[in-house]
Amino acid sequence: MERLLRKFDTAKTLVPAPILHAAGDRTPLGVIYFGSTSPAMDEALEMLAADGIHLDGLRLRGFPFSREVTDFIAEHERIFVVEQNRDAQLRILLLAECGVDPAMLTSILHYDGTPITARFIRDAIGGSVKPVPETVRQRARS
């Protein structure tokens, strides 16, 4: 069994690394996504930023998860997990593999059979987060 655990740890270093999209402003919020959600998520991040909601994004590209994934989660107070299925499978994997508090991970699920859209993501995240006023953002940069 220990040999299999070592193989699994080695695999973490061989899968494609996740891609980080850092927000323009410092933020306690992050979003994790993968696969075909990527184009809509990229657009949604821009839309949310225009609305005053800044999120760091992490696009996963492989499993098992590398150290960057657990570090990303640890650096944020709240993480949205965007996926196109009913059962929140990615969130379950993140909980099992990264050992994080379930309250940190908020599922954004789209499973009606149509492709996920940036508007859907923006509305789902924007509905649960208040935008940061410009004056507060300016003070944070100082």
Side-chain angles (χ1 to χ4, degrees), residues 53-84:
I53 300 170
H54 299 274
L55 295 102
D56 291 324
L58 190 68
R59 178 179 169 226
L60 302 182
R61 299 189 310 152
F63 182 81
F65 302 129
S66 64
R67 177 74 183 195
E68 290 98 338
V69 177
T70 53
D71 290 346
F72 181 83
I73 294 170
E75 292 167 2
H76 296 86
E77 293 174 16
R78 186 173 181 194
I79 302 286
F80 295 95
V81 182
V82 177
E83 37 188 328
Q84 295 187 87

Side-chain angles (χ1 to χ4, degrees), residues 32 60 63 65 69-70 73 79 81 83 87-107:
I32 295 177
L60 302 182
F63 182 81
F65 302 129
V69 177
T70 53
I73 294 170
I79 302 286
V81 182
E83 37 188 328
D87 299 325
Q89 294 169 337
L90 176 57
R91 182 178 183 272
I92 292 168
L93 280 173
L94 289 166
L95 291 172
E97 298 296 320
C98 301
V100 298
D101 179 3
M104 285 185 66
L105 303 180
T106 302
S107 289

Side-chain angles (χ1 to χ4, degrees), residues 7-140:
K7 286 177 95 171
F8 203 72
D9 285 339
T10 300
K12 291 178 183 182
T13 66
L14 301 174
V15 298
I19 298 173
L20 175 65
H21 297 278
D25 291 338
R26 237 184 122 137
T27 178
L29 304 174
V31 61
I32 295 177
Y33 58 100
F34 70 103
S36 60
T37 62
S38 297
M41 191 68 240
D42 293 342
E43 186 179 347
L45 286 170
E46 290 179 19
M47 294 167 74
L48 287 161
D51 293 341
I53 300 170
H54 299 274
L55 295 102
D56 291 324
L58 190 68
R59 178 179 169 226
L60 302 182
R61 299 189 310 152
F63 182 81
F65 302 129
S66 64
R67 177 74 183 195
E68 290 98 338
V69 177
T70 53
D71 290 346
F72 181 83
I73 294 170
E75 292 167 2
H76 296 86
E77 293 174 16
R78 186 173 181 194
I79 302 286
F80 295 95
V81 182
V82 177
E83 37 188 328
Q84 295 187 87
N85 69 64
R86 182 197 64 172
D87 299 325
Q89 294 169 337
L90 176 57
R91 182 178 183 272
I92 292 168
L93 280 173
L94 289 166
L95 291 172
E97 298 296 320
C98 301
V100 298
D101 179 3
M104 285 185 66
L105 303 180
T106 302
S107 289
I108 304 296
L109 304 176
H110 185 273
Y111 53 91
D112 68 0
T114 62
I116 195 167
T117 64
R119 181 179 295 147
F120 173 86
I121 297 167
R122 182 200 61 202
D123 292 347
I125 293 174
S128 66
V129 174
K130 293 187 182 210
V132 177
E134 182 63 29
T135 55
V136 174
R137 288 197 311 260
Q138 288 173 347
R139 280 185 291 204

